[in-house]
Amino acid sequence: MSQTKVQIPFADLSRTHTLLKSQFLEVTSKLIDNSSFILGPEVSEFEKNFADFTGNRHCVGVGNGLDALKLSLKAMGIKRGDKVIVPAHTFTATWMAVADLGAIPVACDVYPDTYNLNIQSIGKKAVTGVQAIIPVHIYGLPCEMDEILKVAEENSWFVIEDNAQAQGAIYKAKNAGSMGHINATSFYPGKNLGALGDAGAITTNDETIANKLRSLRNYGSAKKYEHDEVGYNSRLDALQAAYLNIKLIYLNDWIAERNRIAKRYQANLSGLTRLQFQHTPGGCLHTYHLLTILSDKRNELQQYLSGRGIQTIIHYPTPPHLQRAFHALGYRKGDFPIAEKIADQTLSLPLFIGITQVEVDEVCGAIIDFFTTG
Ligand SMILES: *Cc1c(COP(=O)(O)O)cnc(C)c1O
């Protein structure tokens, strides 16, 4: 059987990177000349820029998003046996960071319209002994933070935002990545602010925590060859920092562009009642890291689109509580019905900087054909 050639890719980073390539080469050349490969001026500059961008006093660059979460939890004193609330609908990293420290992920179901953590849905028993909560701004839409911060304060939980998908998002005039005690993000290449390799960062307003993080990412050391604690090697790579400094300048424009593309999809597909878009509540700026639809015919739709040369991706087909990695936590199918429904029905459509209106209209036309003739 011949494979259908992809005509409209899910994402095409080269359309952005081609335009930035000469700038990338310039900073690469400069770095080769000055040899400041580890924690040099590029890293400090990016940390300052990203702290400013998110409205934080401090930013600590680390190796990737998973490490950003892990070091955040560790800096807040989360240890073996502690409980941390995590959404039932998220990328596995949120749970793995908790589990890696020997702490226990306590899952909480999500809202059926925003797909974000619904703290009201968790039982009293589940939250006894909880130390922290990790709201994830899923697909780039901020969580209901007022509610989460209120419940967290009442219960003395630390709040760690997982801002990997939502750099630049806004919740009631506040920046995503500035509302928790500590906030972790990822610059995985596919994120809205993506490096050309692995990278991540943590933001906070607390200087003591920031210093702790600087030590943790660098072998538990504040002064060379003096180690106050057992740490990690998870430093933001200087080359990635240099690339991120270039890309950060464009991020707000890119978010605006992603919103325009999302609007076009929503307008084109508004006549289809069998299809649901993620609901953006008032006061929120969505970054559209992902534009998703829910459909009870998801698998057939994906197959059909693939046959027409349109690539889509499922984020994510299996929720963490049903993954083998978390089997020991004892969760079962049916425990988080809304997260499970999303996993069964969600489909992410092509949305990337440089996608043309013609391409968006072609994807929409194919979806309309599927529902009206298929
Ligand atoms: C991408 C992502 C991460 C992890 O980022 P990496 O840099 O790939 O380790 C964590 N949480 C969420 C929600 C993500 O989307």
Side-chain angles (χ1 to χ4, degrees):
M1 221 172 76
S2 76
Q3 200 82 26
T4 314
K5 195 174 165 298
V6 173
Q7 280 141 16
I8 302 181
F10 175 72
D12 182 359
L13 298 178
S14 72
R15 291 191 204 180
T16 315
H17 290 166
T18 307
L19 301 170
L20 301 175
K21 194 167 170 183
S22 61
Q23 293 186 66
F24 291 154
L25 292 174
E26 198 180 308
V27 294
T28 307
S29 166
K30 202 174 134 206
L31 198 77
I32 294 168
D33 292 342
N34 72 15
S35 297
S36 59
F37 302 118
I38 304 291
L39 296 180
E42 285 80 7
V43 173
S44 313
E45 189 190 332
F46 177 72
E47 289 176 337
K48 186 181 179 307
N49 291 341
F50 195 69
D52 290 348
F53 180 84
T54 54
N56 282 275
R57 275 203 277 284
H58 307 279
C59 169
V60 179
V62 296
N64 56 63
L66 176 64
D67 281 359
L69 285 163
K70 247 160 52 177
L71 269 62
S72 295
L73 289 161
K74 186 118 176 149
M76 301 312 287
I78 301 300
K79 56 185 188 314
R80 185 162 295 280
D82 286 351
K83 289 179 170 181
V84 179
I85 297 174
V86 291
H89 176 59
T90 181
F91 178 59
T92 188
T94 319
W95 287 51
M96 273 200 188
V98 176
D100 187 71
L101 295 179
I104 302 160
V106 175
C108 176
D109 213 348
V110 295
Y111 285 109
D113 55 350
T114 63
Y115 321 151
N116 273 327
L117 201 145
N118 174 7
I119 194 60
Q120 309 295 346
S121 75
I122 203 164
K124 272 220 152 49
K125 195 163 149 266
V127 303
T128 46
V130 161
Q131 319 286 328
I133 181 168
I134 310 183
V136 180
H137 308 307
I138 202 72
Y139 305 150
L141 177 69
C143 289
E144 206 38 77
M145 288 306 290
D146 279 352
E147 184 176 77
I148 291 168
L149 292 168
K150 180 168 169 278
V151 176
E153 193 178 333
E154 284 164 6
N155 292 281
S156 308
W157 300 335
F158 293 124
V159 178
I160 299 158
E161 278 177 75
D162 180 340
N163 192 32
Q165 303 190 355
Q167 303 113 353
I170 293 170
Y171 173 82
K172 299 184 183 172
K174 290 187 216 88
N175 296 305
S178 74
M179 294 175 276
H181 296 97
I182 190 166
N183 312 289
T185 198
S186 161
F187 307 117
Y188 178 84
K191 306 286 166 136
N192 285 13
L193 179 61
L196 308 189
D198 277 312
I202 303 160
T203 52
T204 181
N205 283 318
D206 187 320
E207 186 167 4
T208 312
I209 293 172
N211 288 335
K212 173 105 179 152
L213 290 165
R214 287 181 203 287
S215 159
L216 278 175
R217 73 168 171 187
N218 192 26
Y219 291 105
S221 170
K223 197 164 164 224
K224 200 155 187 161
Y225 304 127
E226 284 183 24
H227 305 272
D228 304 319
E229 61 193 324
V230 176
Y232 301 83
N233 175 358
S234 185
R235 301 168 296 221
L236 172 60
D237 186 83
L239 199 48
Q240 299 308 332
Y243 299 146
L244 289 166
N245 276 324
I246 293 167
K247 291 180 93 176
L248 183 58
I249 294 165
Y250 300 90
L251 183 55
N252 279 331
D253 289 344
W254 287 339
I255 292 169
E257 175 69 12
R258 298 181 90 92
N259 271 272
R260 280 193 292 274
I261 299 164
K263 266 215 175 70
R264 191 169 184 94
Y265 269 113
Q266 286 154 349
N268 285 353
L269 299 174
S270 63
L272 297 176
T273 48
R274 298 195 51 186
L275 210 165
Q276 183 191 319
F277 284 100
Q278 187 180 20
H279 169 66
T280 304
C284 287
L285 176 69
H286 198 314
T287 64
Y288 287 104
H289 168 57
L290 296 169
L291 174 72
T292 59
I293 52 174
L294 290 193
S295 164
D296 57 2
K297 292 246 178 304
R298 190 267 315 273
N299 292 346
E300 296 92 324
L301 174 61
Q302 183 176 41
Q303 193 76 41
Y304 177 81
L305 292 175
S306 168
R308 293 198 35 177
I310 296 163
Q311 191 183 32
T312 57
I313 297 185
I314 296 167
H315 298 93
Y316 303 91
T318 306
H321 72 279
L322 301 177
Q323 297 279 2
R324 266 196 304 281
F326 300 110
H327 180 77
L329 295 172
Y331 290 120
R332 293 209 187 340
K333 201 166 171 56
D335 283 349
F336 304 102
I338 297 166
E340 289 171 28
K341 179 185 162 202
I342 295 167
D344 286 342
Q345 299 198 353
T346 191
L347 190 67
S348 306
L349 304 179
L351 192 163
F352 53 90
I353 298 304
I355 192 171
T356 64
Q357 293 196 347
V358 172
E359 286 171 319
V360 171
D361 293 349
E362 194 177 322
V363 177
C364 294
I367 294 172
I368 290 167
D369 287 349
F370 173 81
F371 281 109
T372 53
T373 64

